[in-house]
Amino acid sequence: MDFNLTKEQTMIRKMVRDFAEEVIRPRTIEIDTEAKFPLDIFEQMGELGLLGIPFPEEYGGSGGDTLSYAIAVEEIGRVCGSTGLSYAAAVSLGASPIYYFGTEEQKKEFLTPLASGEALGAFGLTEPNAGSDAGGTKTTAVLDGEDFVINGEKCFITNASFAKTLIVTAVTGKNEKGKNIISAIIVPTDAEGVTITSNYDKMGVRGSDTAEIVLDNVRVPKANLLGDEKKGFSQFLYTLDGGRISIAALGLGIAQASLEKALQYAKERKQFGKSISNFQAIQFKLADIAMEVELARNMVYKSAWLKDNDKPFTKESAYAKLFATETAFRAANQAIQIHGGYGYMREYEVERYLRDAKLLEIGEGTSEIQRLVIARQLGC
């Protein structure tokens, strides 16, 4: 086993870390307090090629791999959870399904602007009554001549207010057993009948756009059907498997940031005449955080490696997502504890890490859903 990064992966890590430190870090507190989506930062990320890391150059991408992309998410998340979440969603949910399941025409028309950073995409799966139960989708798409007519409502959709295209899941019919056929359809956000609002006041990842979408008799060409009409459900399960790697990487970034802040503070803070890093109680907390961060990193990188090598990764991506996001919450919580009263204050940032980390235990499949996925993979 070789745990070393390639030369290209090492270069990407340095480039993204430098960008995150120089461009994003000075604005992280502002992004959180003002709950403002940093569109200009995403434009710069597009120019750097970050939005196209895992896609081929022929579609405007950078020709990288999943592991390079996971490293990029980790480095951005280490500085700003909001920016990291929107970045992860743009690539793994907004663009990847078109790459995996789209026709050549769809890739050229819709993927190229996303991969080249000219536009953002969003993935409309969750509905008011269909969250963990994605099979409970109520949005419908009915064929009328050469068009689909789509009606329904989506909620908690990342990046939708700033997206050029939406990938929407909708019921398109019934199978031979009478169950709903759920398909994925590409919908331009400027299509007539699409209404997008962003009125959520969130606990964390406040600078990441979260929107509600209403689709009222929206007409799109039949050619916008993504992949196999009857395999839409399995397609978005594959999409979510990949998305879990990126959310795990985001959790890893927040956990790493928590460790760094806690360690720095423990060395600087004096109590009873010496740094609190000399006290065993604090040392044990730091040791536990460091151990969990490294274990999470190994699982995140392994699941990305499996995906890159065309090996099954459903179970491993669930392991990674479950462990890394729960590690992020625990690490942030302990970082606050180590900071004491200062940890509760906004300027020390660790309280933001806790707020941001909580969402990661919910989005892209809750921790409970990850445990279900793992149990099923075990044959339960």
Side-chain angles (χ1 to χ4, degrees):
M1 288 182 283
D2 184 358
F3 289 93
N4 292 309
L5 299 180
T6 65
K7 183 179 177 182
E8 290 77 13
Q9 290 161 349
T10 304
M11 287 170 61
I12 286 172
R13 163 165 279 163
K14 184 181 186 309
M15 177 187 73
V16 179
R17 178 169 293 193
D18 289 347
F19 177 80
E21 290 290 348
E22 293 166 16
V23 177
I24 304 174
R25 188 175 291 284
R27 292 176 51 192
T28 50
I29 293 177
E30 168 203 332
I31 288 169
D32 176 62
T33 53
E34 296 184 8
K36 189 176 180 182
F37 182 80
L39 186 59
D40 61 315
I41 288 176
F42 275 84
E43 289 169 351
Q44 293 178 68
M45 288 164 63
E47 291 167 7
L48 281 174
L50 300 189
L51 291 164
I53 286 178
F55 306 120
E57 292 177 14
E58 63 187 292
Y59 303 121
S62 304
D65 54 16
T66 307
L67 181 51
S68 297
Y69 161 60
I71 290 167
V73 175
E74 176 189 350
E75 291 298 332
I76 294 169
R78 176 178 154 270
V79 170
C80 179
S82 293
T83 307
L85 178 65
S86 283
Y87 171 58
V91 179
S92 68
L93 300 182
S96 288
I98 302 173
Y99 173 59
Y100 294 132
F101 308 113
T103 62
E104 196 62 30
E105 292 75 17
Q106 288 171 341
K107 289 176 186 177
K108 286 175 179 171
E109 182 180 354
F110 299 111
L111 176 60
T112 301
L114 300 178
S116 61
E118 295 169 17
L120 290 174
F123 186 67
L125 172 64
T126 304
E127 297 185 2
N129 293 305
S132 295
D133 177 19
T137 297
K138 294 286 187 280
T139 297
T140 59
V142 179
L143 266 179
D144 180 23
E146 291 301 305
D147 293 339
F148 278 112
V149 179
I150 308 171
N151 285 281
E153 187 179 344
K154 302 291 182 178
C155 62
F156 308 144
I157 308 304
T158 305
N159 296 343
S161 304
F162 297 88
K164 187 176 181 181
T165 53
L166 307 170
I167 298 170
V168 172
T169 55
V171 177
T172 52
K174 301 275 188 184
N175 65 14
E176 58 276 3
K177 295 181 180 177
K179 290 189 174 182
N180 285 340
I181 296 171
I182 299 176
S183 307
I185 301 167
I186 302 169
V187 179
T189 52
D190 60 1
E192 188 176 345
V194 176
T195 305
I196 300 172
T197 53
S198 183
N199 298 319
Y200 298 116
D201 188 7
K202 297 178 296 184
M203 167 182 163
V205 288
R206 292 171 51 77
S208 174
D209 176 65
T210 308
E212 180 181 65
I213 304 168
V214 176
L215 303 136
D216 183 14
N217 288 322
V218 176
R219 299 185 79 93
V220 298
K222 188 166 70 171
N224 283 22
L225 178 71
L226 187 59
D228 188 325
E229 179 181 8
K230 295 183 179 179
K231 293 181 179 176
F233 196 82
S234 61
Q235 286 174 191
F236 70 67
L237 288 181
Y238 182 85
T239 299
L240 291 177
D241 283 345
R244 282 165 186 158
I245 296 173
S246 59
I247 296 301
L250 179 56
L252 173 58
I254 292 174
Q256 179 67 42
S258 300
L259 173 61
E260 290 171 5
K261 287 278 190 185
L263 183 58
Q264 179 188 1
Y265 182 83
K267 288 178 177 178
E268 293 172 355
R269 174 69 165 165
K270 298 278 197 300
Q271 291 283 274
F272 307 103
K274 55 185 176 181
S275 298
I276 64 171
S277 61
N278 289 305
F279 298 123
Q280 194 176 67
I282 301 298
Q283 290 173 349
F284 281 9
K285 288 182 186 297
L286 291 167
D288 284 344
I289 298 171
M291 175 183 66
E292 291 198 18
V293 168
E294 193 57 28
L295 292 173
R297 180 170 288 113
N298 284 344
M299 198 67 247
V300 173
Y301 287 14
K302 181 181 178 181
S303 58
W305 180 87
L306 288 169
K307 185 173 186 291
D308 284 331
N309 285 275
D310 296 320
K311 297 177 184 292
F313 65 97
T314 296
K315 182 175 70 201
E316 287 77 10
S317 67
Y319 283 158
K321 200 271 186 186
L322 175 62
F323 188 73
T325 59
E326 293 196 347
T327 291
F329 189 83
R330 284 191 294 267
N333 195 30
Q334 289 297 344
I336 293 172
Q337 194 71 18
I338 290 169
H339 278 71
Y342 292 107
Y344 212 67
M345 303 302 155
R346 213 180 265 275
E347 66 184 288
Y348 281 80
E349 299 193 86
V350 287
E351 60 83 32
R352 185 182 80 241
Y353 299 160
L354 186 75
R355 290 186 288 108
D356 288 352
K358 186 60 207 173
L359 183 276
L360 307 185
E361 297 181 323
I362 299 168
E364 293 251 9
T366 62
S367 289
E368 291 75 17
I369 289 294
Q370 303 312 311
R371 289 180 167 92
L372 274 177
V373 169
I374 293 164
R376 286 172 182 167
Q377 289 292 310
L378 294 175
C380 296

